[in-house]
Amino acid sequence: MRRTVSLTAVATLATAALALAAPLGQAAQATTSPSHGVTVAHACATLTEKGEMACNALQVTAGTPKSAHAESDLTAAAAPSGYGPASLQSAYNLPSASGGSGQTVAIVDAYDDPNAESDLATYRSQYGLSACTTANGCFKKVDQNGGTGYPRGDSGWAEEISLDLDMVSAACPNCKILLVEASSASMTNLGTAVNTAVRLGAKFVSNSYGGSESSSDATYDSSYFNHPGVAITVSSGDNGYGVEYPAASKYVTAVGGTSLKTASNSRGWTDTVWSGAGSGCSAYDAKPSWQKDTGCTNRTVADVSAVADPNTGVAVYDSYRSATGWMVFGGTSASSPLIAATYALGGAPSAGSYPASFPYAHTSSLYDVTSGSNGSCGGSYLCTGTTGYDGPSGLGVPNGTAAFTG
């Protein structure tokens, strides 16, 4: 059973904590604006064991996202609620029509989504994207060891899988997609799936899950995430100020979250810090050499960001044990695959490089996020949007692909 919570784009940390701390199956009480608030449910169950991960997908279950009609404003055809490909490509200046050909983006998730390929086909058809199927070589699904012994199905993780596949498609329609399904949500199984994705040739690997940091993280880093020449993205979390692993790994690009809205500026859009995005100082992981902020002795989360606020959510199609099909999702589970696909649009990283460092060398090629907060940290940049680097949004959101190339 999933737990249902309420969030607003300007929720305080106290409100977010109240909502997210509700016992499994019990509705949390939080204040929402009738016109601007939505009610959301966590796709995946609450963590119960050490070393277990939860996905960072939030399904909108009630209310109207501000992005509900955005896509129909940009395309002639009627569209589902939530941002679709045209909106996301416009907001982040992505060369989606010409980029990504020949690149493979891997999605690592737990459990099986039996409808993954057919649901992906529905999404891509809705938005006029080319087919991405097993038959034409664009889509491939494997188990954590690279075979076809798929794990048991799980409706929550299936929603996560659909969100991930749809966001890669939205940002990089020409990319191939490799779905690697771990046997369970343990870090060891998910990490094995990451290694399999790399072994099978993916140069871009998205991970939309997280759990508590632990003294085992250094071992996980060396065993699963130290892959030079591969861009590995990880969601920063949906619980506001605070750090999750593997976003804390020094080898990955930690992806925070924003609220994305249309604006009357030259860009046509604006991003502010989403109140649910994770950020802060890692308790265990060392700071990578390219990260120069002074508020954390260790690794600081996040590096970059993209839309994650359910109030400005994205359209997703999922039919596995779902009566609705089209849904709206938020959470940093949306932003991680978007950033992985943006890396892919920029081309394969050079051998031996650490793509997490690329944005730090190209800060002028990002849209800076300068307002909003995800909690209370004494007003510092670790939880507050500000000019330049800040924790919740990192260095900012994509302005094309220049910040994501070596």
Side-chain angles (χ1 to χ4, degrees):
M1 183 181 296
R2 296 177 299 169
R3 50 192 178 134
T4 301
V5 300
S6 297
L7 295 172
T8 68
V10 294
T12 63
L13 178 63
T15 301
L18 170 65
L20 295 167
L24 188 63
Q26 177 178 323
Q29 301 298 316
T31 301
T32 61
S33 163
S35 59
H36 297 71
V38 297
T39 301
V40 300
H42 290 256
C44 297
T46 307
L47 301 178
T48 57
E49 298 180 8
K50 183 179 179 181
E52 186 180 10
M53 302 288 116
C55 69
N56 285 310
L58 297 174
Q59 180 198 352
V60 174
T61 58
T64 303
K66 293 180 181 178
S67 57
H69 305 293
E71 195 68 10
S72 58
D73 294 337
L74 297 173
T75 59
S81 294
Y83 290 136
S87 293
L88 296 169
Q89 293 166 21
S90 171
Y92 298 128
N93 192 25
L94 301 179
S96 301
S98 58
S101 180
Q103 305 299 338
T104 297
V105 179
I107 295 298
V108 171
D109 282 311
Y111 304 110
D112 182 37
D113 178 2
N115 298 357
E117 184 171 359
S118 60
D119 286 351
L120 176 63
T122 299
Y123 179 89
R124 294 178 72 102
S125 175
Q126 170 67 38
Y127 293 109
L129 306 180
S130 60
C132 187
T133 66
T134 301
N136 69 13
C138 174
F139 177 77
K140 184 176 183 179
K141 183 173 85 169
V142 298
D143 63 32
Q144 71 179 42
N145 298 311
T148 56
Y150 306 124
R152 66 174 176 83
D154 182 276
S155 59
W157 279 92
E159 291 179 353
E160 173 64 61
I161 288 170
S162 292
L163 170 59
D164 292 342
L165 298 179
D166 292 355
M167 291 306 95
V168 172
S169 296
C172 188
N174 296 323
C175 284
K176 297 180 179 180
I177 304 176
L178 171 65
L179 171 60
V180 187
E181 297 181 332
S183 298
S184 75
S186 71
M187 188 65 256
T188 53
N189 283 330
L190 288 161
T192 298
V194 171
N195 288 344
T196 293
V198 176
R199 175 170 58 82
L200 294 179
K203 297 297 183 183
F204 316 93
V205 184
S206 177
N207 304 267
S208 291
Y209 55 83
S212 299
E213 291 191 281
S214 76
S215 57
S216 300
D217 291 352
T219 299
Y220 295 149
D221 277 354
S222 59
S223 297
Y224 307 128
F225 296 108
N226 186 8
H227 291 288
V230 179
I232 301 176
T233 64
V234 181
S235 301
S236 72
D238 298 342
N239 296 319
Y241 182 56
V243 175
E244 291 186 353
Y245 188 86
S249 172
K250 61 184 178 182
Y251 296 119
V252 310
T253 300
V255 185
T258 67
S259 300
L260 173 67
K261 303 170 189 174
T262 55
S264 57
N265 55 24
S266 58
R267 176 188 169 197
W269 299 86
T270 185
D271 287 85
T272 57
V273 166
W274 173 48
S275 61
S279 70
C281 304
S282 171
Y284 298 97
D285 253 82
K287 186 180 288 295
S289 61
W290 50 84
Q291 198 171 54
K292 304 299 184 181
D293 66 297
T294 59
C296 294
T297 301
N298 287 340
R299 164 79 156 114
T300 311
V301 173
D303 296 308
V304 293
S305 54
V307 61
D309 185 355
N311 288 282
T312 63
V314 298
V316 173
Y317 187 83
D318 179 82
S319 66
Y320 182 55
R321 298 181 184 173
S322 169
T324 56
W326 285 106
M327 294 175 278
V328 176
F329 273 87
T332 50
S333 279
S335 54
S336 177
L338 282 171
I339 295 298
T342 303
Y343 271 108
L345 288 167
S350 59
S353 66
Y354 282 96
S357 70
F358 295 172
Y360 290 85
H362 303 282
T363 56
S364 62
S365 297
L366 294 157
Y367 294 118
D368 198 7
V369 180
T370 60
S371 63
S373 175
N374 68 345
S376 177
C377 62
S380 86
Y381 73 95
L382 294 174
C383 69
T384 308
T386 188
T387 301
Y389 179 84
D390 60 72
S393 72
L395 297 164
V397 300
N399 176 9
T401 63
F404 301 90
T405 64

